[in-house]
Amino acid sequence: MKKSELKKIALKDIVNAVQEDLRGKDLTTSLLNNKRKEIVKASVFSNDEAILCGQIWFTLVFEHVQKKYNEKLNIKWHKKEGDVIKKGQK
């Protein structure tokens, strides 16, 4: 499957999921609103050894939310799709 086709599928999934969460008053989604002014920094760590997959979905989720709330976004990847990640690694 081409990367462009995968992005279209991922974006459709993301739009549907975010809309569902916003309607249902999802706890995590409630942390997002256009009145927040704090800078938020987060890291994702692996609980076990794994292979990184789903980078497109992860990135598109945050880009979608960023556009919705007109905010700045910077994602710094330490690994690329398909790389092995060790337990506890970013």
Side-chain angles (χ1 to χ4, degrees):
M1 181 178 291
K2 292 181 182 178
K3 192 173 184 177
S4 61
E5 293 171 2
L6 188 57
K7 280 186 171 185
K8 286 179 187 178
I9 293 168
L11 190 55
K12 183 179 177 185
D13 289 347
I14 290 161
V15 169
N16 289 335
V18 170
Q19 288 304 320
E20 178 182 307
D21 287 349
L22 289 173
R23 283 193 306 270
K25 304 295 183 200
D26 178 72
L27 177 61
T28 305
T29 309
S30 69
L31 298 173
L32 304 170
N33 69 53
N34 56 5
K35 295 177 184 168
R36 295 180 67 90
K37 297 298 178 200
E38 301 91 8
I39 294 175
V40 177
K41 185 175 181 179
S43 296
V44 176
F45 293 88
S46 177
N47 289 331
D48 292 300
E49 187 169 305
I51 295 176
L52 178 62
C53 63
Q55 237 177 349
I56 289 174
W57 267 266
F58 186 96
T59 301
L60 287 174
V61 165
F62 285 95
E63 287 176 354
H64 178 74
V65 171
Q66 176 229 358
K67 288 176 187 173
K68 182 170 183 55
Y69 292 101
N70 196 27
E71 296 292 333
K72 293 180 183 177
L73 170 71
N74 182 27
I75 297 175
K76 179 180 177 183
W77 288 99
H78 298 276
K79 296 285 185 176
K80 64 182 187 294
E81 187 84 13
D83 282 352
V84 173
I85 302 171
K86 296 180 181 176
K87 182 177 180 175
Q89 191 174 26
K90 283 189 199 183

